[in-house]
Amino acid sequence: MDDLVSLPDIVAARDRLAGLIRRTPLLRVSPAGGWLGTGGPLLLKCENLQLGGAFKIRGACNMAWRLPEAERKGGLLTYSSGNHGLAIARAAGMLGVPALVVMPTTAPRVKVDGVRALGAEVVFEGTTTLERKARAETEARRRAMTIVPPFDHEWIVAGQGTIGLEILEQCPAARRVYVQIGGGGLASGIAAAIKQSRPDVEVVGVEPAGAARMTASLAAGRPTTIVVSPGLADGLMAVRPGDITFRHVRAFVDRVVTVDDGAVADAVRWLFEECRLAAEPSGAITVAAAAAARRARPAECEDPEVAVISGGNVDADLFGRLIAGR
């Protein structure tokens, strides 16, 4: 596994990020039946309370701080549906360098406004990751800026893996961890950290039913590009997993499940009503998966489980409609 991120890589990222990010809380929920089902405690890893409202600052800062000064000074550039763009804008501000974010034409206004408020320039390109990536590469050549990719890089994976270390420290008894899969950086990092520390902990990847690119790729044995059906989880709409992240998911994630939009909407509403947490649909999808498993197989969910709440940058109008059941 020489091409995979090692546990020492993730520990070094944790040390590098000390003082730059928040150690987010792990909130305990005691199920009492109903929508969440029964079983042991469910713990929520609240990356929606992270700087910038999402986990992305971990990978962004880990990579930005590892870049040589000559590569940083021209500025940081990325392509993102929102949360990674927010993270790069924030990291560039910390370093005092320019930032440019290529965003989809369908990006939520709350994320576009957030990127601009942090001082970054925004350009729009297409609706898919591949279209944004191509535009970013063109802009990087033209402006002599350094690309910090959203997921498919070892330094990004190591930064996201620091969440896995925190989960094991905060809940040593954890038996199962649910984590989102978009391009795969978050799942790759968390699974690499957990499986190289505690192989007995099950890691379950969760992706939208309309964007099951990792499910398709695992079945094909290689990264596969799919046609994505637009859905609520805008942060998980990559059409293809990364090459690096595919290898990590195949090596470290025990299984991948899919969740439909109706269950995601229910999870957003449940998190607000029961936990007073504001989660974007991409952030709530893990709770939807955990709830479905608890209702279907309660006997298998007696030990503590963790669901990663990856972000809370949700458009206010959409959030209001979801909370109201619309």
Side-chain angles (χ1 to χ4, degrees):
M1 296 195 299
D2 292 341
D3 61 339
L4 300 179
V5 170
S6 70
L7 187 59
D9 291 332
I10 300 171
V11 172
R14 178 185 62 188
D15 296 341
R16 190 173 295 112
L17 295 175
L20 296 175
I21 65 165
R22 292 173 181 158
R23 180 183 172 92
T24 54
L26 195 65
L27 301 183
R28 181 186 179 105
V29 179
S30 296
W35 180 82
L36 186 59
T38 58
L42 178 67
L43 298 104
L44 309 176
K45 182 58 172 169
C46 296
E47 286 294 295
N48 56 315
L49 303 180
Q50 184 56 263
L51 293 176
F55 73 95
K56 290 284 193 176
I57 192 69
R58 296 174 183 262
C61 280
N62 188 52
M63 182 164 182
W65 263 251
R66 290 198 65 174
L67 289 171
E69 177 63 28
E71 293 184 28
R72 289 200 307 235
K73 68 179 183 180
L76 306 180
L77 188 156
T78 197
Y79 45 99
S80 167
S81 62
N83 284 335
H84 185 64
L86 287 163
I88 290 301
R90 187 173 294 272
M94 293 178 184
L95 292 168
V97 300
L100 172 64
V101 182
V102 181
M103 303 185 76
T105 56
T106 53
R109 176 57 55 185
V110 64
K111 295 180 180 180
V112 175
D113 291 345
V115 169
R116 287 173 169 158
L118 289 167
E121 180 184 353
V122 174
V123 298
F124 296 99
E125 185 67 37
T127 59
T128 70
T129 304
L130 297 180
E131 290 170 317
R132 296 193 294 277
K133 182 174 184 287
R135 176 67 181 272
E137 290 168 346
T138 298
E139 294 293 337
R141 290 190 295 269
R142 187 169 71 85
R143 304 185 189 218
M145 300 178 81
T146 298
I147 293 179
V148 180
F151 50 82
D152 204 31
H153 194 285
E154 293 90 340
W155 296 350
I156 298 292
V157 170
Q160 319 307 23
T162 59
I163 300 171
L165 298 181
E166 290 180 15
I167 287 172
L168 294 180
E169 291 165 358
Q170 293 168 313
C171 184
R175 174 65 184 87
R176 182 177 294 111
V177 177
Y178 291 90
V179 58
Q180 294 81 354
I181 297 182
L186 178 63
S188 295
I190 289 178
I194 289 175
K195 286 297 188 179
Q196 293 178 92
S197 302
R198 288 270 311 280
D200 59 304
V201 177
E202 183 183 22
V203 179
V204 181
V206 186
E207 56 186 357
R213 88 296 293 161
M214 192 64 76
T215 298
S217 297
L218 291 170
R222 64 185 186 282
T224 300
T225 300
I226 66 168
V227 176
V228 167
S229 300
L232 284 177
D234 65 275
L236 304 177
M237 289 291 117
V239 298
R240 180 187 188 277
D243 296 322
I244 292 168
T245 60
F246 173 77
R247 293 196 295 271
H248 282 76
V249 169
R250 185 168 58 178
F252 295 123
V253 173
D254 292 285
R255 55 192 172 95
V256 177
V257 300
T258 61
V259 174
D260 64 32
D261 271 2
V264 172
D266 289 342
V268 171
R269 185 164 54 253
W270 182 87
L271 283 166
F272 178 74
E273 292 177 347
E274 299 297 327
C275 307
R276 292 298 181 261
L277 288 176
E280 60 190 274
S282 301
I285 194 171
T286 49
V287 176
R294 285 166 170 268
R295 294 192 299 267
R297 300 183 302 277
E300 297 178 15
C301 305
E302 291 300 324
D303 295 322
E305 300 181 307
V306 176
V308 177
I309 310 300
S310 59
N313 293 314
V314 57
D315 177 81
D317 289 340
L318 171 62
F319 188 68
R321 293 197 301 273
L322 293 175
I323 297 307
R326 300 197 301 272

